[in-house]
C-alpha cells in the first residue's frame, strides 16, 4: 500500500464527521475478466459539501484508482455517481471511496466481490466404449464463473493430434472419427477453452477403445537352422495399434513335402500357446533337411513362416585296437571317400574307402597290418586330419578297406551276460515285492483309518448333475464325490430365493475332453487317470471347505463360510500347481497330452433354494464374471475380480492388468495372481517357503 492510501485510511479511522454519507449499491458476487463492472454510489450531506470524491479498487493488497473528481453536494439532496469499467486483474476485491476537503470528511467500503479467469465446463461423451473407425462425439456446455454463457475457442488434444472449434453462447459440439490404429484400452481427451480476455478452463475426458484383432505375425530367432539347434517361435496376435493381445494361439509345425507347392507332409508339433510368449522346438541331429512350415491361427487370422534346415555331412571315426567304426552323424546320407594313411618308420601305405552311410548308420572295418606300431592318419574331404596309433598283428597280407566279416562270438558273450543279469534281477525283484507288500499293508490300514475319520466329518454339498451315458468324465466324478455328496445342484430361475454371500472359483479345463481319445485306446488307463485326477481335485477343494459343480470342461467351486475370499484364492493357486503336476504325470506315462487351464475368482451374492434332493441356484453376475475371467486367463493364470482384491488385497501378491471387456458394454477390472520367482523360493528356508506359499 502506498503512503498516500495509508494516510487516507488513517484519517478514515481517526477522523469522524457527519457532514456527508457514501452508500454503495451491492455488486455481483463474481466477475470474469472482460466483464463490465457497473457500480452506483449515492452521496448525501445535511449541510452540503464541496470538495473531491475518490474511488479506489482494492484487490489482494493491490490498489487501482477508479474515479477522482471534484464534487458538489446540495444540502438534503442525493447525488448519484455511476461507475462502469472493465478490469483485467483477478483477485478478491472491494471499493473504497472517500469525500475529501483538506481532510477526509467521509469514507465507505463496498461489499467484497471476486474477479476471476475461471471457466466452467460440462462435457458429455456420446458413449464410453468405442471401436476403431467409429465416430466420437462431444457435447459441451461452457459458462463463466460469473454465470454468464461463454463465447470463445475450444482446443482438444487426443490420439496425438490437436483439434479446434468454437464455443458460441455457452455451447459447442465436436465430432471426429476414432483412428483405425488407435491404442486400445483407456484413452484421454484434454479439452481447453479460452478467450481474448484471458479467461480459461480445462477438463479431461476418459474413454475406452476396444482391442480389435487386426493381424497375426510369427517372429523367429532364425529362419535357417542346422540340426540340433533350437527354434524359438513367438506368435503374436496384434490389435489395431500393433499391440500384442492376450489370447490363445494354435501353433503347428509341419515338414514340407513339395517345395514348389509347400505341401504339408508330417505334423511335428501342435499345441496351444499364449500370444507373445516364446515356444521352443529343437530340431534333432538327424532332422531331415529342407523346408518346414510354422503355422499359427487365432481369432480368424492364419499366418505361416518358412524355415530351412540345412543339410549336414558329418561322420565320427573311432578306432579301438584294430577295429575301425565310422558313424554318420549328419542328417543326409554320407557318400564320400575316406583316405587312410598307415606309417611306421620308412614304411607307408595309403588306402581310400568309399563310404556309403545312411543317416545314423554305423559301419565297422577291421584293419590288419604286419607286426609293429603304426601311426594312422584319416584324411577327410573337408581336409580334416585324425591321427592315432595302431599296434599291428602278425598277418601275411595287409587288408585295408574291407568290411569286417560277420563274427558271432560276441552273440554268445551277450547271451551269457543276459542270463547272469536275469538271475540277479530276479533275486532283487523278490526282495522288492516283499518290501512293497509291507508298504501296501500299511497303506491299507491308513486308508481304513482315513475313511473312518471321513465318515465322521459333516456332510458337504455336492454341486453336480445326473451323468449321461455319453459323459464318462461325469460318471467318474460322481463316483469319487459320492462319499460326501448331498443333493445335486441344478441351475434354475428362482423367484424370492434368499441370497448369500459366496466366493466362486471357475476352473476352465479347455481341452479336458480331448482325453476321450485315451479312453478309445486304453479304457483301464483312462479310468485310472481320470479317477486320480478327480480324487486329488476334490481333496484340495474339501480341505478348504468348498463345494463343487462339474459340467463338461468347467468346474465351479463355491465358498460360503468364513474367510471365503482367501480360501477361494488359495484353492485356485493350489489347483494351478495341481494341473502342472498332472501334466508331468501324463508325460511319465508316455501320454502326449498337456491339459490347458485358466482360473477366475469372484465374490458376490448368489440365490440358493435347497430341498431334500435338489439344490438350485440362479446364475448371476457373480458366477458369470468368474467364468469370463477363467476363459480370458492364459494357461495356468489366476485372474481375480476387484471384489476379491478389495477384501484381501493386502494379503496376496497381485498385479493390476488392463480391464478385460466381457462384451462391448461391460468391462471388468481384474488382477493377476503372481507366483514367487525360483530365486525367491530358493533363498527362503523351508518353513518360510511353506508360509509364503500358504499366504498366496
Amino acid at each position: 500500500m502506498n503512503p498516500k492510501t495509508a494516510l487516507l485510511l488513517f484519517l478514515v479511522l481517526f477522523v469522524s464527521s457527519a457532514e456527508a454519507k457514501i452508500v454503495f449499491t451491492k455488486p455481483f458476487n463474481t466477475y470474469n475478466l472482460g466483464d463490465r463492472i457497473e457500480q452506483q454510489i449515492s452521496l448525501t450531506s445535511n449541510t452540503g459539501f464541496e470538495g473531491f470524491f475518490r474511488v479506489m479498487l482494492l484487490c489482494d493488497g493491490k490498489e487501482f484508482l477508479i474515479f477522482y473528481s471534484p464534487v458538489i453536494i446540495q444540502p438534503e439532496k442525493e447525488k448519484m455517481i455511476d461507475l462502469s469499467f472493465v478490469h483485467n486483474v483477478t483477485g478478491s476485491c472491494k471499493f473504497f471511496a472517500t469525500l475529501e476537503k483538506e481532510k477526509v470528511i467521509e469514507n465507505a467500503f463496498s461489499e467484497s466481490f471476486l474477479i476471476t479467469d475461471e471457466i466452467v465446463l460440462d462435457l458429455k461423451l456420446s458413449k464410453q466404449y468405442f471401436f476403431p473407425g467409429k465416430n466420437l462425439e462431444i457435447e459441451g456446455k461452457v459458462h463463466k464463473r460469473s454465470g454468464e454463457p461463454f463465447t470463445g475457442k475450444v482446443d482438444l488434444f487426443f490420439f496425438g493430434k490437436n483439434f479446434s472449434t468454437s464455443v458460441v453462447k455457452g455451447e459447442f459440439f465436436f465430432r471426429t472419427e476414432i483412428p483405425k490404429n488407435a491404442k486400445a484400452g483407456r484413452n484421454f481427451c484434454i479439452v481447453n477453452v479460452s478467450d481474448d480476455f484471458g479467461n480459461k478452463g480445462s477438463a479431461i475426458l476418459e474413454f475406452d477403445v476396444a482391442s480389435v484383432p487386426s493381424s497375426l505375425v510369427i517372429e523367429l530367432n532364425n529362419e535357417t537352422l542346422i540340426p540340433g539347434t533350437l527354434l524359438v517361435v513367438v506368435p503374436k496376435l496384434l490389435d489395431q495399434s500393433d499391440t500384442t493381445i492376450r489370447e490363445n494361439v494354435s501353433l503347428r509345425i509341419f515338414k514340407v513335402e513339395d517345395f514348389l507347392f509347400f505341401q504339408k507332409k508330417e505334423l511335428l508339433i501342435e499345441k496351444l500357446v499364449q500370444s507373445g510368449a516364446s515356444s521352443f522346438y529343437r530340431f534333432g541331429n538327424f532332422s531331415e533337411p529342407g523346408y518346414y512350415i510354422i503355422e499359427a491361427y487365432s481369432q480368424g487370422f492364419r499366418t505361416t513362416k518358412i524355415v530351412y534346415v540345412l543339410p549336414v555331412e558329418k561322420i565320427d571315426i573311432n578306432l579301438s585296437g584294430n577295429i575301425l567304426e565310422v558313424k554318420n552323424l549328419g542328417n543326409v546320407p554320407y557318400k564320400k571317400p575316406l583316405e587312410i594313411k598307415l606309417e611306421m618308420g620308412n614304411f607307408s601305405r595309403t588306402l581310400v574307402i568309399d563310404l556309403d552311410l545312411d543317416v545314423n548308420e554305423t559301419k565297422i572295418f577291421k584293419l590288419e597290418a604286419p607286426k609293429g606300431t603304426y601311426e594312422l592318419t584319416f584324411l577327410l574331404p573337408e581336409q580334416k586330419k585324425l591321427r592315432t596309433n595302431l599296434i599291428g598283428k602278425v598277418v601275411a597280407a595287409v587288408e585295408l578297406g574291407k568290411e569286417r566279416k560277420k563274427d558271432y562270438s560276441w552273440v554268445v558273450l551277450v547271451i551269457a551276460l543276459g542270463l547272469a543279469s536275469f538271475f540277479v534281477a530276479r533275486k532283487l525283484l523278490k526282495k522288492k515285492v516283499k518290501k512293497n507288500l509291507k508298504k501296501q499293508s500299511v497303506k491299507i490300514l491308513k486308508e481304513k483309518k482315513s475313511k473312518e475319520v471321513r465318515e465322521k466329518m459333516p456332510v458337504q454339498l455336492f454341486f453336480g448333475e445326473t451323468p449321461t451315458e455319453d459323459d464318462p468324465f461325469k460318471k467318474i466324478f460322481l463316483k469319487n464325490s459320492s462319499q460326501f455328496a448331498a443333493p445335486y445342484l441344478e441351475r434354475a430361475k428362482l423367484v424370492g430365493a434368499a441370497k448369500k454371500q459366496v466366493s466362486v472359483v471357475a476352473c476352465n479345463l479347455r481341452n479336458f475332453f480331448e482325453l476321450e481319445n485315451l479312453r478309445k485306446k486304453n479304457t483301464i488307463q483312462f479310468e485310472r487317470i481320470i479317477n486320480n485326477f478327480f480324487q486329488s481335485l476334490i481333496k484340495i477343494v474339501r480341505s478348504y471347505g468348498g463345494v463343487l459343480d462339474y459340467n463338461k470342461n468347467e468346474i465351479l467351486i463355491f465358498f460360503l463360510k468364513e474367510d471365503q475370499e482367501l480360501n477361494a484364492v488359495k484353492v485356485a493357486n493350489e489347483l494351478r500347481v495341481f494341473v502342472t503336476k498332472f501334466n508331468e504325470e501324463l508325460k511319465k506315462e508316455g501320454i502326449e497330452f498337456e491339459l490347458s487351464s485358466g482360473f477366475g475368482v469372484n465374490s458376490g451374492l448368489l440365490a440358493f433354494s435347497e430341498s431334500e434332493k435338489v439344490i438350485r441356484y440362479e446364475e448371476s453376475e457373480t458366477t458369470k464374471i468368474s467364468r469370463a475371467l477363467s476363459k480370458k486367463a492364459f494357461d495356468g493364470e489366476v485372474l481375480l475380480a476387484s471384489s476379491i482384491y478389495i477384501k484381501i488385497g493386502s494379503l496376496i501378491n497381485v498385479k493390476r492388468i488392463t480391464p478385460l471387456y466381457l462384451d462391448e458394454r461391460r468391462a471388468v477390472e481384474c488382477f493377476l495372481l503372481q507366483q514367487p520367482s525360483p530365486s525367491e523360493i530358493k533363498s527362503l528356508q523351508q518353513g518360510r517357503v511353506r508360509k509364503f506359499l500358504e499366504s498366496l
Side-chain angles (χ1 to χ4, degrees), residues 33 127 160 171 242 359 369 425 439 478 493 501 534 588 644:
L33 295 179
K127 54 183 179 179
E171 295 183 351
D242 290 337
V359 176
K439 287 184 177 180
L478 290 177
K493 184 70 176 178
Q501 183 70 22
F534 282 126
K588 290 180 181 179
I644 297 292

Side-chain angles (χ1 to χ4, degrees), residues 107-127:
N107 68 87
F109 286 96
S110 71
E111 292 187 18
S112 297
F113 56 91
L114 179 67
I115 301 177
T116 179
D117 61 357
E118 183 181 350
I119 302 298
V120 180
L121 292 86
D122 182 14
L123 306 178
K124 182 180 178 182
L125 276 169
S126 55
K127 54 183 179 179

Side-chain angles (χ1 to χ4, degrees), residues 217-221 232-236 251 274-279:
V217 299
I218 298 175
E219 295 180 358
L220 305 173
N221 64 326
V232 182
V233 183
V234 185
K236 290 184 178 180
L251 183 66
Q274 297 178 13
S275 172
S278 298
S279 295

Side-chain angles (χ1 to χ4, degrees), residues 92 210 244 273 367 535 566 632:
S92 178
T244 303
V273 299
L367 303 181
Q535 272 187 0
L566 186 59
K632 290 289 185 180

